[in-house]
Amino acid sequence: MGRRSLLSFHPLAWTPFCTAQMKSLEDNLDTFSSLNTVAVGISVDSIPCKKAWAENLGISKTQLLCDFWLHGTVAQQYGLFRSANGFSERANVIVDEDQKVVFVRVYLVHSVPDIQEVIEFLKSLKTP
């Protein structure tokens, strides 16, 4: 059986809100695993940038993905790209085992998403 995915979009690496958002994914890795979910961070930053940022933050188990080229394509596909800014919204998207989007929450750019809200939603889903 497949797993769920939490796509945690963040505007740009090396910013305080994005840092807190990505650390919350790493801190809750075991919880996500117990809920049959893989959490990933995603932004328009490049691979070298994300690699250095993950090392700086001590993030070693959560994948930080790059939506660098073609610039913002994944964010655009989910309707989350901010063309005027050149980066994505801050958002959490949950894709279920059947590849259906079952949760989307867009947050203020200068905020940290409530990870407990995401965890509670995942708990409410039927376990495969």
Side-chain angles (χ1 to χ4, degrees), residues 83-102:
S83 296
N85 303 108
F87 54 72
S88 74
E89 296 283 358
R90 184 175 312 282
N92 283 318
V93 176
I94 298 173
V95 180
D96 73 8
E97 302 87 347
D98 297 320
Q99 304 305 305
K100 293 180 184 173
V101 173
V102 295

Side-chain angles (χ1 to χ4, degrees), residues 100-113:
K100 293 180 184 173
V101 173
V102 295
F103 178 95
V104 177
R105 180 84 68 227
V106 177
Y107 307 89
L108 295 174
V109 171
H110 297 292
S111 69
V112 178

Side-chain angles (χ1 to χ4, degrees), residues 36-82:
N36 193 41
T37 303
V38 175
V40 298
I42 184 168
S43 72
V44 297
D45 299 289
S46 67
I47 291 171
C49 175
K50 292 296 270 282
K51 184 175 187 243
W53 189 47
E55 288 172 1
N56 179 269
L57 296 178
I59 292 178
S60 61
K61 296 179 182 168
T62 301
Q63 292 183 26
L64 301 184
L65 307 179
C66 302
D67 194 13
F68 181 74
W69 194 257
L70 298 170
H71 190 75
T73 299
V74 176
Q76 289 175 40
Q77 290 174 340
Y78 284 93
L80 297 171
F81 191 72
R82 296 169 62 121

Side-chain angles (χ1 to χ4, degrees), residues 115-128:
I115 201 65
Q116 284 308 124
E117 170 188 50
V118 173
I119 290 169
E120 290 306 315
F121 179 81
L122 288 167
K123 286 179 179 177
S124 75
L125 297 175
K126 292 182 181 177
T127 307

